[in-house]
Amino acid sequence: MKIPTKVFLTSDTIRVLDERARRTRRQKSEIVRAAVEAYLSPDSAEAGEAALSRRLDRMSRQLDRLERDVTISNEAIGLFVKTWLKVTPAMSAVEDRAASAKGQERYAAFVDLLARRISEGRLLRGEVLADIGIDHT
């Protein structure tokens, strides 16, 4: 049994409702009835909560991977700097100028290699994790 009901909607809502009814070739009352039933359905809240829970779980896993990646990066950089400081001898002023020029060349080559690897999707993170036997997906 259908009972007529009067509701007040904003003009923006009416425009959207009219457009949806026209596009889907459905009556406005049918669309409004389905929306009200979905809103009042006890499953609606549970479905929304389940969807939110799934999304939060996915975000938690993403944050865990991000934390792992940052930790690996920090450790790699720290170990590199520590080793470099141990093995690099002090230089004279003349040697320093020559090393600076060579360093600029090497840095340009490094940036090119880095850009190429990133554009190809080859990340050191994946190689490191594969080397130590951890799934990096």
Side-chain angles (χ1 to χ4, degrees), residues 47-100:
E49 191 173 315
L52 180 61
S53 180
R54 283 191 305 275
R55 183 158 188 202
L56 287 172
D57 287 344
R58 187 176 67 241
M59 290 172 69
S60 179
R61 287 190 305 274
Q62 289 170 334
L63 284 172
D64 288 343
R65 283 192 303 271
L66 181 61
E67 180 182 18
R68 178 195 65 192
D69 293 349
V70 168
T71 299
I72 290 170
S73 297
N74 288 345
E75 288 299 311
I77 291 170
L79 287 172
F80 173 79
V81 169
K82 185 177 180 181
T83 303
W84 183 80
L85 290 171
K86 280 184 191 176
V87 301
T88 304
M91 293 185 267
S92 69
V94 173
E95 290 173 323
D96 190 46
R97 282 192 295 278
S100 179

Side-chain angles (χ1 to χ4, degrees), residues 18-49:
D18 288 342
E19 174 60 27
R20 179 67 53 92
R22 185 189 59 73
R23 195 171 15 141
T24 61
R25 293 187 173 122
R26 295 173 69 190
Q27 294 181 356
K28 289 188 279 186
S29 61
E30 182 183 354
I31 294 170
V32 171
R33 183 175 49 254
V36 169
E37 287 172 356
Y39 181 80
L40 297 176
S41 168
D43 293 341
S44 177
E46 292 171 11
E49 191 173 315

Side-chain angles (χ1 to χ4, degrees), residues 8-15:
F8 296 94
L9 302 173
T10 66
S11 58
D12 289 341
T13 304
I14 292 295
R15 273 195 293 278

